[in-house]
Amino acid sequence: MGSDKLLGEFLRARREVTSPERVGMLRSGPSRTPGLRRQEVAMLAGVSTDYYVRLEQGREHRPSDRVLDALVRVLDLGPDAAAHLYELAHPGSRQRATTRRTERVDPGLLRLMHSWPHTPAFVFDRWQDVLARNPMAAAFHRGLKYTDNMLSLLFLDPAARDFYRDWEQIARLRVAQLRAATGADLDNPYLTELVGELSRGSADFCRMWARHDVCGVSREIRRFRHQEVGELELVCELFDIATAPGQQLVIFHAEPASPSEHALTLLGNLATMASCDP
């Protein structure tokens, strides 16, 4: 799909999830259009309706930075979504990969991860394929399917909806994170295969992918229901790995002296015992 069509798809999706109230508009009576109308976006952005329609239809090829700035404001785009918009409008600004290379995790990072007996930690790439995990992460996800890819786990394993107590929120964040990581590289064969597999297996993924949400994630609170140690509330932190662009280190930790910290300690002890069994 050409970059002009991608830009139009993104604008249309974000327009349809932006409510008039969110931008300070009042309407009288019901509307058949979800979100904002095209003419409303055009008016708020200071462009003609015809020009904005051409943008959504992929017939306008070079929107100015002034127009893009206005659309960021009107559609209330966050920093990641704004960067995504500019990349779609100016394709080629980032080197695009047409093939998927084999990725390896730095041995020093692996040793560090394995030195954490009570901290689940794993590394994934921009497609959310898990490249490495420590024993605690393996114990944390024990009993779940598709743990080689976090999106597949979320959308294709029915048990994930019980494991993630805030499944809808986490699923939306993961989909938005995938869009942020791939940028305009939406014709990458591996991404096409992944999105196709998830779309065939999950109507919820189709719904969330169609929203074109774009958001990077660095820190969030997550609630889990683990089959062995019960309910946990953990801080999830994601760190970009400077020596391996696209890779992120993900760790989970609990508030000191909290029930969740005690549960993680118990899980660590169980993981250690399991590793010692003949």
Side-chain angles (χ1 to χ4, degrees), residues 15-265:
R15 172 176 61 80
E16 290 178 351
V17 298
T18 303
S19 67
E21 295 77 16
R22 190 171 177 178
V23 295
M25 296 190 67
L26 298 177
R27 284 182 182 168
S28 57
S31 172
R32 292 178 296 176
T33 303
L36 293 173
R37 302 184 179 101
R38 290 185 178 90
Q39 58 266 37
E40 291 170 338
V41 174
M43 179 189 68
L44 291 169
V47 298
S48 70
T49 300
D50 179 67
Y51 179 86
Y52 180 75
V53 169
R54 294 202 308 272
L55 275 178
E56 279 203 5
Q57 293 177 345
R59 295 187 291 116
E60 181 59 45
H61 304 293
R62 295 188 178 276
S64 68
D65 285 347
R66 182 192 67 79
V67 169
L68 295 175
D69 289 343
L71 291 172
V72 167
R73 172 179 51 79
V74 173
L75 300 175
D76 195 24
L77 301 181
D80 296 302
H84 185 70
L85 172 66
Y86 279 94
E87 187 174 353
L88 293 177
H90 303 299
S93 59
R94 182 172 74 176
Q95 184 176 0
R96 299 171 64 188
T98 56
T99 59
R100 184 169 183 261
R101 68 184 189 277
T102 301
E103 298 199 42
R104 297 182 178 179
V105 179
D106 181 84
L109 178 56
L110 287 175
R111 287 193 297 271
L112 177 64
M113 291 165 55
H114 280 259
S115 72
W116 296 332
H118 300 135
T119 303
F122 60 92
V123 175
F124 65 18
D125 61 15
R126 64 178 180 145
W127 316 112
Q128 299 182 37
D129 282 342
V130 176
L131 306 176
R133 58 170 60 86
N134 67 3
M136 264 295 285
F140 189 67
H141 292 127
R142 187 159 46 229
L144 297 169
K145 299 178 182 178
Y146 311 110
T147 55
D148 57 336
N149 180 278
M150 301 311 293
L151 287 160
S152 298
L153 187 156
L154 272 163
F155 289 100
L156 303 182
D157 185 356
R161 294 174 185 264
D162 187 57
F163 179 71
Y164 293 97
R165 293 164 60 197
D166 302 306
W167 182 89
E168 177 82 15
Q169 175 188 353
I170 299 303
R172 282 195 180 191
L173 281 173
R174 282 291 187 224
V175 173
Q177 186 180 10
L178 179 64
R179 280 207 180 269
T182 55
D185 195 14
L186 294 176
D187 58 354
N188 183 286
Y190 187 78
L191 178 65
T192 301
E193 179 184 350
L194 176 63
V195 170
E197 178 185 359
L198 295 170
S199 299
R200 289 189 296 272
S202 172
D204 284 314
F205 176 81
C206 294
R207 168 175 59 86
M208 295 178 190
W209 185 249
R211 287 176 54 89
H212 287 251
D213 290 326
V214 181
C215 179
V217 181
S218 60
R219 190 179 193 272
E220 55 194 7
I221 305 296
R222 293 192 185 171
R223 302 188 307 149
F224 302 93
R225 184 176 292 108
H226 194 273
Q227 63 178 1
E228 294 176 280
V229 297
E231 296 190 353
L232 304 98
E233 183 172 297
L234 304 175
V235 179
C236 173
E237 309 234 27
L238 291 81
F239 301 94
D240 293 329
I241 300 174
T243 56
Q247 291 186 14
Q248 287 189 309
L249 169 66
V250 184
I251 66 171
F252 295 100
H253 60 90
E255 291 296 325
S258 66
S260 294
E261 185 183 55
H262 295 313
L264 278 184
T265 300

